[in-house]
Each structure stands twice: as structure tokens, then as C-alpha cells.
Amino acid sequence: VEYSYTSPEGCNKTITKPVQIADKPIITFVGLDNQYCTDITAFNLQATPSGGTFKVNGSPATQFNPSALSTGTYVIEYTYIDPADATCFNSATKSIEVKKAPVLVWQNVDNKYCIDNNTTINPSVSIVYNSGATEVQTPDTLSFNPSTKGVGNFTLSHTVTD
């Protein structure tokens, strides 16, 4: 920056001052989805550059815990102040929707079978969707016969997207 002055007597004087103008920090949320279901446990909030502060709906936070929240929209705010220049800061917000997770219940399957049980087991899954609608699914991929499966521990898995 430069300033020149001419006095009423006609004397000129110029003064200069170097000034640096820094760009605002660019904030990026890390690993934060747009929606979560109520069966997701707490996780740490992360953003770059690191070292800033988070708020969830205006309250200070370091974690987001969908399993402890009601359904609805939550605003995550991150503010970063450059430690080298406190006048250079930025903040960003992201809206996150928390939705109720569907309820799944196994049917027609026990926790334990004897190896000599030569019956095909056809488990099903009872599903209660967020809308309140219910459905029973019996996927062929879950069927098994204990006598041919062999001795051991096995995990049955079924995924539902609501």
C-alpha cells in the first residue's frame, strides 16, 4: 500500500507499507455422509484443515451419535482459525438427516442345531419399515442344512435398505 501527500507548502512525502492478503482456509468435511440411521453409533467429527471446532445444532461437539438422536435434520458447523493469523478464519456447515432404522427380526431359525439334523432350515426375516409397513422375506440364500454345513459357528446375514 502506498500513500502520497503534498503539503500546502508544496512538499511531497510518500509512505509505503507491504501488506499481505491471505486466502481464507478452505474447509472440507471428512467422512461425513448426508444421512445416517438411528442404529449408527457415535463417531468422531473430522474436517480439514484440522484443529478447528465443531458444533452440532449450535452446541460444541467432537462426535456425532445418530443412535442417541431423534430423527430429523442436524446442522454440523466447523470453524477453523489460522493459528498464524487469527484474522484469517472460515466456517462451513453441513445438514445431516437422521432417519429411523428399520427393525429386523429373525424367524424360523434357532441359535443351535445338532450335526445330525438332516432338515433344511429356511430362515426368514420380519421387517418393520420406517413407514410402519411390515414384510417377511425368506431369501433362498439363507437356507441351510445342519448335517451338510458341518460343525462350527456360522453367521447368517441379511441386509435391508429402507
Side-chain angles (χ1 to χ4, degrees), residues 84-103:
D85 181 2
T87 64
C88 205
F89 65 92
N90 201 0
S91 65
T93 60
K94 183 171 182 174
S95 292
I96 306 297
E97 187 172 359
V98 174
K99 294 184 174 188
K100 184 178 177 192
V103 176

Side-chain angles (χ1 to χ4, degrees), residues 14 20 28 40-41 43 45 48 59 67 72 74 80-81 83 88 91 101 107 109 117 122 127 135 151 155:
T14 300
Q20 177 187 13
T28 304
I40 302 298
T41 58
F43 57 89
L45 293 168
T48 59
S59 296
S67 65
Y74 294 84
Y80 177 80
I81 300 172
C88 205
S91 65
Q107 294 181 342
V109 64
N117 185 336
N122 295 302
I127 305 160
E135 175 185 6
V151 174
T155 301

Side-chain angles (χ1 to χ4, degrees), residues 3 7 35 52 60 64 72 81 102-103 112 122 128-129 144 149 152:
Y3 178 74
S7 70
Q35 74 176 37
F64 190 69
I81 300 172
V103 176
K112 187 176 182 180
N122 295 302
V128 179
Y129 293 99
F144 67 97
K149 192 77 170 166

